[in-house]
């Protein structure tokens, strides 16, 4: 009888441990959503802020149009067309031309804030390089919200230190 009780006790403990371990795991769908959303967020930030050095000032408009086309596909219509979003995604080519250097995000890291099946909120930090000198960089910090529309993740909100980029443009004039 004691052996049966011992076996039953051990079996219950093992089952409890398994149930506890399984309940702590993140659902695969939510984990995949975060991974996919982070990928879209990274692509968006690179499309928005990276730029090749324009050969001439006239090339800035060409790069700006290419950025707008790429970013339109990565964002919701409401975000892309918002009046507050009137920057036209043009600071990167202009800044690249003023600094006479390519703009590259050399580091970007995302941290999950809140997640549902249809939305993912992330915070991020990164480094935007616009030259080779130690001071030729800008730290990016912000939050980005993505929503799933038609099975595709799209940026619906992005708030970061844009004033620092504007400051670089103002100081370069």
């Amino acid at each position: 009888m004691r052996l049966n009780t011992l076996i039953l006790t051990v079996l219950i403990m093992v089952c409890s441990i398994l149930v506890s371990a399984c309940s702590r795991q993140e659902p695969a769908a939510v984990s995949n959503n975060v991974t996919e959303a982070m990928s879209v967020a990274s692509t968006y930030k690179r499309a928005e802020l990276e730029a090749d050095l324009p050969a001439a000032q006239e090339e800035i408009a060409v790069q700006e149009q290419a950025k707008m086309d790429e970013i339109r596909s990565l964002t919701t219509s409401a975000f892309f067309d918002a009046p507050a979003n009137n920057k036209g995604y043009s600071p990167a080519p202009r800044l690249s031309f003023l600094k006479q250097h390519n703009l590259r995000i050399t580091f970007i890291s995302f941290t999950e804030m809140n997640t549902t099946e249809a939305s993912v909120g992330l915070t991020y930090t990164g480094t935007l390089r616009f030259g080779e000198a130690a001071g030729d960089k800008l730290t990016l910090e912000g939050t980005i919200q993505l929503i799933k529309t038609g099975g595709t993740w799209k940026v619906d909100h992005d708030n970061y230190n844009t004033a620092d980029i504007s400051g670089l443009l103002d100081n370069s004039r």
Side-chain angles (χ1 to χ4, degrees):
M1 186 72 164
R2 285 186 173 204
L3 182 61
N4 287 343
T5 305
L6 180 62
I7 291 173
L8 184 59
T9 303
V10 168
L11 185 61
I12 289 172
M13 287 175 38
V14 168
C15 287
S16 295
I17 291 170
L18 287 173
V19 167
S20 176
C22 289
S23 68
R24 289 186 193 145
Q25 290 181 346
E26 203 173 298
V30 172
S31 179
N32 287 341
N33 281 342
V34 173
T35 301
E36 290 172 18
M38 283 182 182
S39 178
V40 171
S42 179
T43 301
Y44 167 78
K45 291 312 295 179
R46 290 180 191 286
E48 179 191 21
L49 295 176
E50 291 189 336
D52 291 328
L53 174 61
Q57 187 143 5
E58 297 78 30
E59 194 178 307
I60 293 173
V62 173
Q63 281 194 24
E64 289 173 346
Q65 185 60 50
K67 284 189 165 303
M68 287 180 66
D69 293 344
E70 184 177 7
I71 288 170
R72 179 176 278 122
S73 69
L74 297 168
T75 60
T76 63
S77 296
F79 176 67
F80 186 83
D81 296 331
N85 216 7
N86 61 7
K87 62 182 178 255
Y89 303 101
S90 59
R94 285 187 287 132
L95 184 58
S96 177
F97 187 74
L98 288 170
K99 293 294 186 177
Q100 287 296 293
H101 202 280
N102 294 337
L103 267 63
R104 294 290 176 256
I105 293 177
T106 57
F107 167 79
I108 192 157
S109 175
F110 295 94
T111 304
E112 178 183 359
M113 287 187 333
N114 52 38
T115 302
T116 69
E117 285 293 319
S119 71
V120 172
L122 306 168
T123 60
Y124 61 91
T125 59
T127 303
L128 178 66
R129 298 278 320 172
F130 48 87
E132 301 299 324
D136 292 343
K137 65 181 180 179
L138 174 69
T139 299
L140 303 170
E141 298 175 323
T143 59
I144 192 166
Q145 185 74 30
L146 296 99
I147 61 172
K148 201 169 209 175
T149 58
T152 303
W153 287 103
K154 301 228 177 203
V155 174
D156 191 51
H157 181 75
D158 182 25
N159 184 26
Y160 68 103
N161 52 325
T162 56
D164 292 343
I165 292 176
S166 297
L168 289 173
L169 286 167
D170 293 341
N171 291 336
S172 295
R173 294 180 184 175

